[in-house]
Amino acid sequence: MRNKVIAGNWKMNKDVFETADLINGLKKSVAAKNVEVIVCPPFTSLVVAQQLLKGSTIKLGAQDVSVHDDGAYTGEVSVTMLKSVGCEYVIVGHSERRQYFHESNELINQKAKKVLAASMRVIICVGETLEEREKEITDKVITAQIKGVLAGLSESDLERVIIAYEPVWAIGTGKNATPRQAEDVHQLIRKLVGQIYSWNVAEKIIIQYGGSVKPENAKELLSQDDIDGALVGGACLKPDSFAGIISPI
Ligand code: PEP
């Protein structure tokens, strides 16, 4: 039995003052029972979030990480830096990073390895574009992404890996995948993990769905057998809507 994992990706939203308001609101409204709840604010808000989350069950994550350890990489943030501000999770390979910053499966794989080497947990995102879905090559695209992002990771690494299936056409569009569409891809991902590793690993791995998840559609999506949680964008920016996704679980 896999526990649900709900992560909020704040993207480039909330300054430190707004961060304090949102974290305080979440602490009041989010009651996590058998659910792992993670918030991923921007880098500039991590310290204040860490301070305010002390004593809370809500975990802290980052939205990205450098592949480099330290040195002359202007603008980059290392895994050690993230660890030092209390991050337990890092999202890698979000479709916005793939699209706007040209991140490849290979780079995402390197980032995932950095996170895992630092004994942290990684949320690795995959997902097809609308064009790819319409060309009916979703399975092919997801298969290539999964093989690429997991290359060289061991069975024990997989204990700290979450895969987020995020169809690009559903992100920030208000148009979520139907529970059936999402479940089909989740089953494919679990099957691929089973083929690459073992059925034991496949049964345990957490596979989140992301793409316009909100309180109105979360229950049905999360009731699918292979949907083990959600990666939430827009709806995680207000305590009530984030809590509205978590509370019914
Ligand atoms: C996301 O950014 O990962 C996401 C799923 O966004 P939204 O929930 O707004 O579609």
Side-chain angles (χ1 to χ4, degrees), residues 179-236:
R180 186 66 255 165
Q181 285 173 320
E183 174 66 8
D184 283 347
V185 180
H186 282 235
Q187 281 177 2
L188 168 70
I189 294 171
R190 204 175 298 285
K191 192 177 88 185
L192 289 167
V193 171
Q195 284 167 357
I196 302 169
Y197 296 93
S198 64
W199 187 240
N200 186 34
V201 174
E203 270 190 324
K204 285 195 201 138
I205 194 160
I206 299 291
I207 309 175
Q208 294 176 317
Y209 167 77
S212 298
V213 176
K214 42 189 180 264
E216 297 77 33
N217 60 22
K219 204 165 174 216
E220 210 190 337
L221 283 160
L222 292 169
S223 67
Q224 303 300 306
D225 283 350
D226 290 284
I227 302 187
D228 310 314
L231 181 53
V232 183
C236 77

Side-chain angles (χ1 to χ4, degrees), residues 22-209:
L22 181 50
I23 297 281
N24 286 329
L26 291 174
K27 285 204 297 188
K28 279 191 212 130
S29 51
V30 169
K33 301 152 282 177
N34 294 326
V35 188
E36 177 98 330
V37 179
I38 308 154
V39 290
C40 303
F43 292 138
T44 47
S45 290
L46 289 171
V47 172
V48 70
Q50 179 202 27
Q51 298 296 322
L52 291 169
L53 287 175
K54 276 188 186 145
S56 159
T57 55
I58 301 173
K59 302 283 193 327
L60 191 60
Q63 298 172 20
D64 188 30
V65 67
S66 176
V67 282
H68 303 290
D69 291 330
D70 51 42
Y73 298 101
T74 302
E76 291 284 89
V77 174
S78 75
V79 80
T80 317
M81 293 168 182
L82 295 180
K83 210 170 175 181
S84 75
V85 293
C87 285
E88 293 180 54
Y89 288 84
V90 183
I91 300 171
V92 300
H94 191 278
S95 67
E96 288 150 16
R97 305 275 338 154
R98 290 176 185 262
Q99 189 181 347
Y100 305 133
F101 304 97
H102 313 293
E103 294 199 1
S104 62
N105 289 325
E106 197 185 6
L107 181 78
I108 294 159
N109 172 254
Q110 284 172 28
K111 289 186 175 190
K113 284 178 178 159
K114 278 281 164 212
V115 177
L116 293 166
S119 305
M120 295 162 78
R121 292 172 188 268
V122 65
I123 300 175
I124 308 178
C125 305
V126 295
E128 81 287 2
T129 62
L130 183 59
E131 198 189 347
E132 290 162 344
R133 178 158 283 265
E134 284 174 350
K135 280 193 192 151
E136 298 184 2
I137 55 168
T138 298
D139 287 13
K140 195 174 149 209
V141 169
I142 298 294
T143 302
Q145 289 180 342
I146 289 291
K147 287 186 176 163
V149 298
L150 297 183
L153 300 191
S154 68
E155 263 201 47
S156 66
D157 284 334
L158 266 274
E159 288 169 18
R160 284 178 291 114
V161 170
I162 292 175
I163 294 171
Y165 167 56
E166 298 207 304
V168 180
W169 48 272
I171 297 178
T173 58
K175 187 174 181 256
N176 61 284
T178 65
R180 186 66 255 165
Q181 285 173 320
E183 174 66 8
D184 283 347
V185 180
H186 282 235
Q187 281 177 2
L188 168 70
I189 294 171
R190 204 175 298 285
K191 192 177 88 185
L192 289 167
V193 171
Q195 284 167 357
I196 302 169
Y197 296 93
S198 64
W199 187 240
N200 186 34
V201 174
E203 270 190 324
K204 285 195 201 138
I205 194 160
I206 299 291
I207 309 175
Q208 294 176 317
Y209 167 77

